[in-house]
Each structure stands twice: as structure tokens, then as C-alpha cells.
Amino acid sequence: MAGKKVSRRGFIRTAGTLAATTAAVYSWEEHSLLAFQQGGQPPPGRGQGGRGQAQPTPVVAGPIPTG
């Protein structure tokens, strides 16, 4: 890659593609979390124990420790 020249058009194309991909990923994550809040279903791929069932959230007594 050291001998490869980067043109201005190539740089702009790569930077635009990276920005669009990043925006799409964050948009998908936001949509997933919003659906979780409204429907009560766990977001896909989150909190599943490999069997497709959500794991219960442990109950912590008292205040949460802070640093």
C-alpha cells in the first residue's frame, strides 16, 4: 500500500462511503433500541444467551458504586 497513489477523487469517494456507512449503522442501532423501548422485545443480538432467550437482569441492592 506504500506504493499506491491516492487520487483526490478516490479519497473523496472513500471518505464519503465511510461516512455514509457509519451513519447507516448508527441509524439502524437507534431504530433497534427505539423498537425495544416501544415493544418490549429485546434488541436483536443483545442480551441473548445463545438460545434466543433474553437473560434476566440481576437485581442490585443499594446504590450503584461510583468512582
Side-chain angles (χ1 to χ4, degrees):
M1 193 171 197
K4 184 177 177 182
K5 288 191 170 189
V6 178
S7 67
R8 189 180 317 166
R9 289 182 182 180
F11 174 77
I12 297 296
R13 183 181 305 131
T14 303
T17 302
L18 181 62
T21 303
T22 303
V25 167
Y26 280 117
S27 174
W28 177 81
E29 183 178 8
E30 184 73 23
H31 179 71
S32 175
L33 293 174
L34 182 61
F36 168 69
Q37 287 178 341
Q38 292 177 350
Q41 296 294 326
R46 307 272 189 207
Q48 295 179 354
R51 296 181 306 271
Q53 298 175 350
Q55 297 175 348
T57 304
V59 177
V60 179
I64 298 175
T66 57

